[in-house]
Structure formats: structure tokens, C-alpha cells
Amino acid sequence: MMEAINFFQGFLAMNGFSAIGANRAEIRLANALKKDARRLQAEAEEEVFNAETAQEISSDAQSENIKRDFAEIALWHSLIAFGKYRQSSARFSEAAAIETKFQKDFIKSSRKMNEQALQAQNSICHLTEVLS
């Protein structure tokens, strides 16, 4: 008898048969993922600002060595920004998979982070051509 009860408890505990909506642990996880995604987004935006600043200094510099050095710095910041945008997008996607109540918002944020990552990638391509 005990084995039958354990079987049904295990069967009902499976995700496909659980109650509709997220439980508290899932909501906390989705909120933690959202918080982490926003932190990564803020860090990526800071890296983009640093890359743009280094790129401006590079274009205004008189010496070729200084231009190249600051272009390399801009490239480095762009690479970091790209990675952080991609991580942020992944966190938003994970949150969307967990919490269906705000799924549209999370998916929208994920797409926005992918677009930002694409812009960072374009900047990386441009800087790579400049440095070549």
C-alpha cells in the first residue's frame, strides 16, 4: 500500500501534473533570474559606454599607437558587453520558461538583450576590421 501512495505522490509531483501556475520556489527562482538578468544588463550597458568612450578617444588621437591601443580597449569592452548581453538574454529566457504570468515581458526583454548583443557584435566586427 505504501508503495502505491509513493507512486502516486511521485506521479503527481511531476511538472506536467502539478497545479497550474508557479509555486513559491519557482516564483523566487524566476525573480532571482530576472534580478540577475537586470544586473547583467546594467553591467553590459556600462561596458558599452566604456567601449564608446575608448572608441572616441581612438578616433581623436593623433598617434597611431594611441589609436590602436584605444581601439583594442574598445574591442575588449565590446566583447565583455556582448557576453553580458547574451547572459542576460539567457536569464530572461529561463525566467520566461518558469513563470508564465510574466512570460511575455520576459521574452520581450530577452529579445531586447539579443538585439543589444547584435549591436555589440557589429561593433566588434568594425573594431576588428580597424585593427587588422
Side-chain angles (χ1 to χ4, degrees), residues 38-110:
R38 289 191 174 148
R39 178 188 58 80
L40 288 165
Q41 177 184 1
E43 290 175 5
E45 289 170 354
E46 187 176 331
E47 293 295 338
V48 167
F49 175 77
N50 292 338
E52 289 171 351
T53 303
Q55 210 167 358
E56 288 175 18
I57 293 171
S58 174
S59 63
D60 293 342
Q62 302 296 327
S63 168
E64 286 300 315
N65 288 339
I66 294 173
K67 282 185 181 188
R68 183 169 184 78
D69 289 344
F70 278 97
E72 288 175 354
I73 291 169
L75 176 62
W76 183 83
H77 283 292
S78 295
L79 287 167
I80 299 297
F82 175 75
K84 290 190 184 275
Y85 278 131
R86 296 295 294 182
Q87 288 175 340
S88 178
S89 174
R91 298 298 190 280
F92 278 124
S93 294
E94 291 171 20
I98 294 170
E99 178 145 12
T100 57
K101 185 177 179 181
F102 300 107
Q103 191 172 33
K104 288 182 182 179
D105 294 334
F106 290 145
I107 290 171
K108 183 179 176 182
S109 296
S110 177

Side-chain angles (χ1 to χ4, degrees), residues 10-58:
F11 192 73
L12 294 174
M14 293 172 58
N15 238 0
F17 297 98
S18 64
I20 296 174
N23 64 29
R24 287 184 184 179
E26 290 172 332
I27 292 170
R28 279 189 294 231
L29 178 59
N31 286 336
L33 288 167
K34 179 178 73 173
K35 184 178 178 181
D36 191 37
R38 289 191 174 148
R39 178 188 58 80
L40 288 165
Q41 177 184 1
E43 290 175 5
E45 289 170 354
E46 187 176 331
E47 293 295 338
V48 167
F49 175 77
N50 292 338
E52 289 171 351
T53 303
Q55 210 167 358
E56 288 175 18
I57 293 171
S58 174

